[in-house]
Amino acid sequence: MKTLFTLVLLFCSTIVFAQDFQQAKVLFADGKELTGLVKASSVGEKSIVYRAAEAGSKNEKISSSELSKIYFTLDSAEYVPIYLMYNGKKRKEPTWAQKLMEGPVSLYATGSRMSFQRSGFNHNVNDISFFTKRTDEEGASMVGMYFTSGAIGININRTFRKLAGEYFADYPELAARIENKEFEILEIPAVVTAYNEWKTGKQN
């Protein structure tokens, strides 16, 4: 769980809150690569803000649709565009997400921030949604959400157990462990690890 807490904090600092430029490698869909500075908060927008590392370099915008990956070298954080599934349908446009784990099932996370006024005061809510995707699936399926600040999630573990139990149903023993409350939402890496070990062993 400690590993995921670290990743959650990294995700929030890099995507949700960060405004500063960070050292990164930018990979294009056509195979081209750039190494320089990327404004972290621009990841997930229509264009990222990029600047060469040399002193005096100017900011430039690069269309996100041209990119296949952004890798922040200092934090070893990788962001990729993925298609998300909702109600069994794939969204038309990809969403940029942090890849947390890779294997027969890969784990991704997206973050969002909502601001509103309550009793005359500004109130911010930050959350992270977790998605899983098998190598042969068109899109990634949501398996849970965790609120990092501004709100206390209601039934987040119940929702996680329902979604994850359904997603990993092809491994009945793991699905039963999920449904029997052996795991909570922030232990999703342990669930994915258990599934990937089972899947890999099954294929050998």
Side-chain angles (χ1 to χ4, degrees):
M1 187 183 297
K2 181 180 179 181
T3 300
L4 184 56
F5 270 120
T6 302
L7 290 168
V8 165
L9 292 174
L10 169 63
F11 186 90
C12 290
S13 63
T14 304
I15 280 294
V16 180
F17 304 114
Q19 299 296 326
D20 296 333
F21 285 84
Q22 299 184 29
Q23 187 72 31
K25 179 183 290 186
V26 179
L27 288 80
F28 289 74
D30 63 4
K32 176 184 173 183
E33 292 186 13
L34 289 175
T35 299
L37 301 171
V38 172
K39 189 175 183 179
S41 60
S42 68
V43 177
E45 301 296 329
K46 290 185 177 180
S47 299
I48 66 164
V49 181
Y50 170 84
R51 185 170 70 216
E54 292 76 18
S57 298
K58 295 183 178 180
N59 296 348
E60 59 179 292
K61 289 188 176 182
I62 301 175
S63 175
S64 296
S65 63
E66 299 178 25
L67 307 179
S68 63
K69 182 186 301 184
I70 300 171
Y71 182 78
F72 289 97
T73 53
L74 181 62
D75 297 320
S76 299
E78 178 181 336
Y79 296 87
V80 296
I82 61 170
Y83 288 93
L84 303 181
M85 303 290 291
Y86 285 99
N87 298 321
K89 296 182 179 180
K90 185 178 74 172
R91 280 193 169 180
K92 293 182 179 180
E93 299 294 331
T95 297
W96 279 84
Q98 183 179 357
K99 181 184 282 188
L100 303 180
M101 299 177 67
E102 186 172 12
V105 164
S106 294
L107 177 64
Y108 302 87
T110 64
S112 65
R113 183 175 190 176
M114 179 177 64
S115 298
F116 57 91
Q117 282 201 335
R118 176 183 292 170
S119 302
F121 295 95
N122 289 328
H123 188 66
N124 298 316
V125 176
N126 301 291
D127 63 69
I128 296 177
S129 295
F130 297 98
F131 296 84
T132 47
K133 180 182 178 299
R134 295 180 176 86
T135 54
D136 61 348
E137 291 177 332
E138 287 188 310
S141 300
M142 185 176 178
V143 290
M145 175 186 288
Y146 178 75
F147 291 91
T148 60
S149 64
I152 298 176
I154 299 175
N155 296 327
I156 58 173
N157 284 313
R158 182 184 299 175
T159 301
F160 157 68
R161 290 173 184 127
K162 178 181 183 299
L163 295 175
E166 292 173 353
Y167 186 84
F168 295 105
D170 58 322
Y171 183 9
E173 291 83 356
L174 179 60
R177 292 171 64 191
I178 295 169
E179 293 166 4
N180 290 332
K181 302 182 180 181
E182 186 171 331
F183 301 99
E184 296 184 351
I185 179 60
L186 289 184
E187 294 171 302
I188 182 62
V191 174
V192 173
T193 297
Y195 181 89
N196 286 343
E197 289 176 349
W198 168 79
K199 191 70 173 179
T200 302
K202 186 178 179 181
Q203 294 171 343
N204 291 338

